[in-house]
Amino acid sequence: MKFSVYQISRQGGRERNEDRMGYAYTREAGLFVLADGMGGHPEGAMAAQLALQTFSAYFQKAANPTVKEVPEFLSSATMAAHHQIIRYASEKGMLDTPRTTLVAAVMERNHVHWVHCGDSRLYIVRDGALVTRTRDHSYMEQQAHLGRATQHINRNILFTCLGSPAKPVFDLSGPLQMQQGDRVLLCSDGLWGTVTDEEIVNELARDTLDQSVPELVEMALKRGGARCDNVTVLAMEWETTEEFHTTRVSTEDIEDGVFASTIQSGVPDPTIEDLDDAAIERSIAEINDAIRRTAEKNA
């Protein structure tokens, strides 16, 4: 299994960047996850980090070296992430729960499966054309799908997310067979909120990932202006050809049982830009402390 990956997170006009992303892989499977901590609720960054940590832990357990039942894995990991956020809020005695959107993809056996909850999106581009993208769990997208006017609807109003007291609604999709050169892009709403689907597809198909993805992010930041949302993108190209210069991963030399992750340690990958290292480290410390306390209670 070979793929190239490029990831970037840029803070817009917000007080903090609560987006998180990362990927993990074994010899024969790869996991890509992006979460956008929701404003208007406490500790959105923690909710996003908890979601990533939970997916990474589930993937490490399930991928031996492949995930036998990918839809079941994605469903279980999504609900586990939701419950981990709820548990965290309960242990801290929080009156309101941290919340986050989520989009995640698993690639193995030359196929991709994905899950999403909220309005973080996944795009798949092949030969310069959009193969598919996720449909947001928002009232605006819902009305648009029904052919109704949406110009007066706030696109930020979601009817589901992880961490809410209500059981989350999420969509499972796939499998889709991958072809060489296919590009999969996961992003927060900071990208698609100001950049159209057509522009995302055209730019993504135009150049290498390390050229096209930063161009898309800069486009979003400029259009968003002083109050621009944070923009986070995790993009992957399947079976990358040798002339490309993005971070290239080949799992052919990985031994069975070996697991690699940019999520597990919480330390940003060198290709990630502008993430707050101190905030991530604080999140990881709190997560580990919560896990320790839970283990002590169950002992």
Side-chain angles (χ1 to χ4, degrees):
M1 185 173 72
K2 296 180 182 178
F3 60 89
S4 286
V5 61
Y6 190 88
Q7 44 188 358
I8 178 172
S9 187
R10 294 282 302 278
Q11 185 168 339
R14 303 299 173 87
E15 183 179 348
R16 60 182 64 88
N17 188 350
E18 297 186 315
D19 297 352
R20 295 292 183 265
M21 63 182 164
Y23 61 95
Y25 55 91
T26 64
R27 182 173 183 173
E28 297 182 30
L31 168 72
F32 302 81
V33 193
L34 184 146
D36 180 357
M38 294 175 63
H41 302 279
E43 300 193 45
M46 174 59 74
Q49 187 67 28
L50 278 167
L52 263 68
Q53 294 281 109
T54 303
F55 262 79
S56 179
Y58 264 63
F59 182 74
Q60 184 173 8
K61 182 179 180 180
N64 295 308
T66 60
V67 179
K68 291 183 179 179
E69 300 293 339
V70 180
E72 287 79 358
F73 162 78
L74 290 172
S75 178
S76 297
T78 300
M79 288 306 301
H82 170 70
H83 289 306
Q84 185 74 353
I85 297 168
I86 296 294
R87 184 180 303 116
Y88 173 84
S90 176
E91 290 182 350
K92 294 195 68 175
M94 301 174 70
L95 297 178
D96 189 14
T97 54
R99 306 181 191 191
T100 185
T101 67
L102 175 106
V103 59
V106 169
M107 298 172 190
E108 62 171 35
R109 302 186 185 95
N110 296 321
H111 287 80
V112 57
H113 300 248
W114 60 97
V115 64
H116 80 287
C117 179
D119 63 356
S120 289
R121 290 182 179 178
L122 176 143
Y123 292 79
I124 299 179
V125 176
R126 175 179 296 162
D127 296 328
L130 179 66
V131 176
T132 187
R133 80 151 170 89
T134 52
R135 190 166 76 226
D136 309 328
H137 297 120
S138 68
Y139 288 103
M140 185 178 77
E141 188 95 321
Q142 186 182 64
Q143 294 301 304
H145 184 67
L146 295 172
R148 299 171 181 170
T150 60
Q151 59 266 31
H152 300 302
I153 300 177
N154 183 345
R155 71 171 178 84
N156 294 316
I157 300 177
L158 306 181
F159 58 81
T160 191
C161 63
L162 300 187
S164 169
K167 182 180 179 180
V169 175
F170 56 88
D171 290 337
L172 295 168
S173 304
L176 176 71
Q177 185 169 359
M178 301 291 287
Q179 297 181 10
Q180 180 176 325
D182 282 358
R183 294 185 171 188
V184 180
L185 181 143
L186 286 66
C187 67
S188 63
D189 64 328
L191 180 70
W192 63 258
T194 55
V195 181
T196 67
D197 288 356
E198 183 179 9
E199 289 171 325
I200 290 173
V201 172
N202 290 342
E203 187 64 38
L204 198 61
R206 185 179 63 85
D207 212 332
T208 58
L209 294 182
D210 60 342
Q211 295 292 324
S212 58
V213 173
E215 285 291 331
L216 283 169
V217 172
E218 287 300 322
M219 189 185 303
L221 289 170
K222 289 179 181 178
R223 290 183 183 175
R227 301 185 65 180
C228 181
D229 198 355
N230 305 313
V231 184
T232 300
V233 178
L234 170 58
M236 185 278 298
E237 178 169 338
W238 184 251
E239 297 290 347
T240 308
T241 53
E242 292 299 319
E243 69 265 20
F244 288 176
H245 304 293
T246 49
T247 301
R248 188 162 50 248
V249 176
S250 174
T251 65
E252 293 177 350
D253 297 327
I254 296 180
E255 297 180 1
D256 288 344
V258 174
F259 168 83
S261 176
T262 66
I263 305 168
Q264 187 180 35
S265 66
V267 179
D269 185 83
T271 58
I272 300 177
E273 299 181 15
D274 294 345
L275 283 180
D276 184 348
D277 293 352
I280 293 175
E281 292 299 332
R282 287 195 300 271
S283 296
I284 295 164
E286 290 191 65
I287 291 166
N288 291 336
D289 186 51
I291 293 171
R292 177 185 57 77
R293 292 197 306 271
T294 301
E296 289 175 350
K297 289 179 181 179
N298 295 331

